[in-house]
Structures are given as structure tokens and as C-alpha cells.
Amino acid sequence: MLKGKVAVIYGAGGAIGSAVARAFAREGATLFLTGRSLASVEVVAKEIVSAGGSAEAAEVDALDEQAVDKHLQSMIDSVGRVDISFNAVGIPDAELLGVPLVELDVERFALPIATYATSYFLTARLAARRMIVNRSGVIMRVTALHSRTGIPLVGGYGPAMAAMEALTRDLSAELAPLGIRVVGLRPQAMPETPTIKEAFEPRAKASGMSWEQWQEFLASKTHARRLMTLDELANMAVFLASDKASGMTGTIVNLTMGSLDD
Ligand SMILES: NC(=O)c1ccc[n+]([C@@H]2O[C@H](COP(=O)([O-])OP(=O)(O)OC[C@H]3O[C@@H](n4cnc5c(N)ncnc54)[C@H](OP(=O)(O)O)[C@@H]3O)[C@@H](O)[C@H]2O)c1
């Protein structure tokens, strides 16, 4: 589904970034994988190459405008184009969660909002400048259920996710006339990712639940009575990145399996 497409992934060493990288590679995309630390990204790139795919790893801080720009230019110099930009950057939840809003200090509240919105803005804007030339491209970002529902003890994380969903719509309003689609994916928790365990820890005491009870509680709120898998998320990312989704832009695909029904 992605044969001939060139994709850049930010946060490619993480759980979602690496799952999406593997799925994009299986569908024939040429991959440029980036992350704040090279080691985890190199592992993913090597795995893809040994499975017969095409992937290069690079250390790129997705909050550093010059680094993102330089890396995109190196892609253009090497393969001449960028078709897909996927931002899967995530910052450690332990720094953000577990404190009631009335006790939260302003720096800790603002950190996720500034980090997530800035990284998405930078990577999207700089990729769009390259995509405009071809009047073609797809810009993608992962958000979360928190963007649309009230959840206690998550600090600035909900506003951060909501900001990225608003930015998805605004980017699309400006870029879709130029041939560039902008779409988000809004999963709920995937317990196989370390992120979800980390997100649970600061709230464990307040919730009075064990890790197993927490997963059951989250699953019980879905229509399917189960949480989504990373593979399911990655498959949806493939479809959205492909030309099969040419009719979709300026929206966030709700992958919460009914926890948030629209
Ligand atoms: N996991 C889930 O079930 C789930 C559900 C809903 C939403 N989400 C959201 O999806 C996003 C990704 O989640 P995940 O589970 O894949 O997280 P993850 O495994 O922690 O991966 C995040 C990746 O982002 C990288 N990163 C952090 N800051 C960066 C920067 N400035 N520049 C470049 N890379 C940077 C991290 O690299 P380092 O390790 O080197 O810092 C890490 O590889 C997060 O925003 C998360 O909140 C996750």
C-alpha cells in the first residue's frame, strides 16, 4: 500500500513509532527513522533492513528546528522527496501525571502542552514545505482519548492532546488545497506499551487498583470490552498514509473502540 512512498517518523524508537515503522516497511515504504537518542532508532532500522525493508536511522531532536530541517533536507538530497511525516514523539508520563490540578505548578502543567504542540508544529511545517513542491503528502500525529474526555490527575496532558487535534484541523485547512492531507490517530491505552504502565504508576495509589484491575477497568469502558493492540493501530496508520485514504483530511480517527463514542 505504500510502495514508492518516502516516510519520515519522529520518535521512531518508541512503542508506537517503531510499530508504525515496521508496518510502513512491510507495505513497501522507504523509511527515515529519527529519535532523540540514536540507539533505539538504530535497533528498529536494523530489524527492518534485515527483514528486507529500507530504513535509515538518524538522531534528530524533534524540538530542534534546525535539526529537523537539516534531516529533511538530507532526505530530499538523497531520495528527492518526502511523502509521509509521522510524529510519534512522547515524553515521560511520570513527569506529568498524578498531581491534582489545584496543586499542579504552572511549569509542570505547561510542559506537555508546549512540548507536544511545538514538536508537531515544527515537524509538520518543515515537511509541508517540501511536500508543497509536489502538491502531495500526508502529515500524521498520534493523539489520545484525553483530548476529548475529562480524566482526573493527567495535568496538562489532555490540553496537549486537544491542541494537537486542533492543529491537525488547522494544518489541513491550509494544506489540503495544496494537495497535502493532515490526519490524526486517537488511540486509547495499549497495555503492551511501557508508556501505559508508566502512566498508571503515579495514579495507582489514588485509584486503589492493581495494574491488572486498571487494564480491566479501561477495557470495560470500550464497546468491545478489550483494548486495542499496537498492530491494529499500525494497520490503521498504513491505511491513512496510503492513497486509499485520499478522501480523508482534517480529522482525527477515533481508535478508542467505543470508550469515546461519537
Ligand atoms: N502507548 C499508548 O498506549 C498510547 C495511547 C495513546 C496515546 N499515546 C501517545 O502516543 C505518543 C507515543 O507513545 P509511545 O507509547 O510510543 O511512547 P514511547 O514509547 O515513550 O515513545 C516516545 C518516543 O519519543 C521519543 N522522543 C521524546 N522526545 C523527543 C524529541 N524531542 N525528539 C525526538 N524524539 C523524542 C522518545 O525517545 P527517547 O526515549 O530517546 O526520549 C521515544 O522513543 C505519546 O504522545 C503518547 O502519549 C500512547
Side-chain angles (χ1 to χ4, degrees):
M1 285 172 83
L2 302 179
K3 203 157 186 286
K5 305 276 189 198
V6 177
V8 58
I9 301 181
Y10 300 96
I16 292 178
S18 61
V20 168
R22 288 184 202 100
F24 279 8
R26 276 196 299 272
E27 295 297 332
T30 299
L31 293 174
F32 289 82
L33 306 180
T34 72
R36 189 163 48 178
S37 48
L38 186 60
S40 56
V41 183
E42 267 182 336
V43 171
V44 183
K46 276 185 188 147
E47 190 192 316
I48 288 172
V49 170
S50 7
S54 167
E56 279 184 28
E59 187 175 307
V60 178
D61 180 347
L63 290 164
D64 179 339
E65 182 169 5
Q66 281 191 348
V68 174
D69 198 45
K70 206 170 142 203
H71 178 259
L72 282 166
Q73 195 50 48
S74 74
M75 285 176 64
I76 300 294
D77 295 342
S78 144
V79 291
R81 57 190 298 120
V82 51
D83 300 300
I84 302 161
S85 167
F86 193 102
N87 186 319
V89 164
I91 54 175
D93 286 323
E95 290 169 23
L96 314 177
L97 311 179
V99 181
L101 287 168
V102 289
E103 288 165 28
L104 192 65
D105 63 68
V106 72
E107 288 79 16
R108 201 164 159 188
F109 171 71
L111 176 75
I113 303 171
T115 306
Y116 281 116
T118 304
S119 154
Y120 182 30
F121 168 69
L122 272 182
T123 57
R125 188 192 68 179
L126 293 170
R129 287 182 183 171
R130 271 77 183 194
M131 292 171 176
I132 284 169
V133 182
N134 302 325
R135 292 190 75 82
S136 160
V138 190
I139 292 171
M140 304 169 77
R141 168 66 218 188
V142 187
T143 69
L145 172 78
H146 308 59
S147 62
R148 291 279 300 277
T149 192
I151 299 175
L153 303 177
V154 296
Y157 185 79
M161 295 297 129
M164 292 198 293
E165 294 196 355
L167 184 56
T168 298
R169 292 186 286 271
D170 293 343
L171 283 165
S172 176
E174 293 191 19
L175 295 174
L178 304 171
I180 301 164
R181 296 189 294 113
V182 189
V183 283
L185 297 97
R186 184 196 300 134
Q188 201 188 351
M190 289 164 286
E192 67 204 283
T193 66
T195 310
I196 297 308
K197 190 90 193 265
E198 276 163 33
F200 165 68
E201 300 291 349
R203 289 179 288 176
K205 210 166 154 208
S207 71
M209 291 186 213
S210 68
W211 168 233
E212 288 69 28
Q213 286 168 330
W214 178 256
Q215 290 175 69
E216 279 166 27
F217 167 69
L218 295 179
S220 74
K221 296 201 289 185
T222 68
H223 290 179
R225 305 287 184 269
R226 70 166 180 91
L227 294 165
M228 200 180 57
T229 65
L230 262 177
D231 268 355
E232 288 172 323
L233 173 88
N235 288 339
M236 183 54 72
V238 166
F239 172 74
L240 294 174
S242 79
D243 294 339
K244 298 269 184 209
S246 58
M248 184 169 258
T249 189
T251 193
I252 318 296
V253 177
N254 183 355
L255 297 172
T256 64
M257 299 194 78
S259 287
L260 183 79
D261 48 7
D262 353 68

